[in-house]
Amino acid sequence: MPVVKSTLSNDDLALVGNALQGALVDLVDLSLVAKQVHWNVVGPRFRSVHLQLDEVVDTARQHADTVAERASAIGVAPDGRAVTITKTSGIGEVSDGWIKDGDAVQTLVAGLAAVIRRMRERINATGEPDPVTQDILIGLTADLEKHHWMFQAESY
């Protein structure tokens, strides 16, 4: 039984709730991937990549909280449990051990691209039923695209 009653129709609530849940999963996993790489990056560009990774972590965590709170506000219980992240994330696995700086950059380029693709699908899906959620997704996608650009620039 929902604790918070949404003003959205049941169909719209299901669609928007799924979009928010997917966004939450991808953002939590992105923060974990970036932190894992942050702890294990090595190489001549260590410092710049190391610091850049923390910026991604901060962005992902901030937006994850916003997304989860939006879900709660419309009556959808957000699920950020590890088992849920593992089952539904769109980001590939990170290798264990030390990660060369170039490989770290490529890992983030690929991970950010995967999340951005899925966010853009969610943006398209939520425009009609809930422009408020769409606006949140647009803003966070812009921030992710900025990180994506910066990591791509690191690879040349």
Side-chain angles (χ1 to χ4, degrees):
M1 177 173 173
V3 175
V4 176
K5 178 70 175 134
S6 176
T7 58
L8 298 173
S9 71
N10 288 338
D11 289 343
D12 288 350
L13 183 61
L15 187 147
V16 173
N18 286 335
L20 288 166
Q21 179 59 40
L24 176 62
V25 164
D26 284 348
L27 290 166
V28 170
D29 199 23
L30 179 62
S31 73
L32 293 171
V33 165
K35 203 48 137 166
Q36 179 66 23
V37 175
H38 167 89
W39 292 324
N40 290 287
V41 65
V42 293
R45 294 182 296 162
F46 162 79
R47 182 158 173 75
S48 64
V49 173
H50 183 80
L51 295 173
Q52 196 173 355
L53 288 161
D54 262 345
E55 292 172 6
V56 173
V57 171
D58 291 345
T59 296
R61 287 179 178 169
Q62 176 187 355
H63 285 300
D65 193 51
T66 299
V67 165
E69 288 178 357
R70 176 64 186 159
S72 294
I74 64 169
V76 175
D79 186 354
R81 297 172 301 149
V83 66
T84 303
I85 307 305
T86 301
K87 287 181 182 178
T88 59
S89 174
I91 302 174
E93 223 177 284
V94 176
S95 61
D96 62 348
W98 303 115
I99 302 170
K100 292 182 181 180
D101 52 9
D103 294 337
V105 167
Q106 289 309 310
T107 297
L108 265 290
V109 168
L112 284 161
V115 172
I116 290 165
R117 273 192 302 278
R118 289 167 51 118
M119 290 300 179
R120 287 190 164 276
E121 292 170 4
R122 295 174 186 122
I123 289 167
N124 290 334
T126 56
E128 180 64 32
D130 188 17
V132 175
T133 293
Q134 184 190 47
D135 185 55
I136 290 168
L137 297 175
I138 289 169
L140 75 86
T141 301
D143 287 347
L144 296 177
E145 286 178 340
K146 183 176 178 182
H147 288 299
H148 187 243
W149 156 55
M150 291 183 172
F151 272 103
Q152 286 183 83
E154 281 276 346
S155 60
Y156 289 100

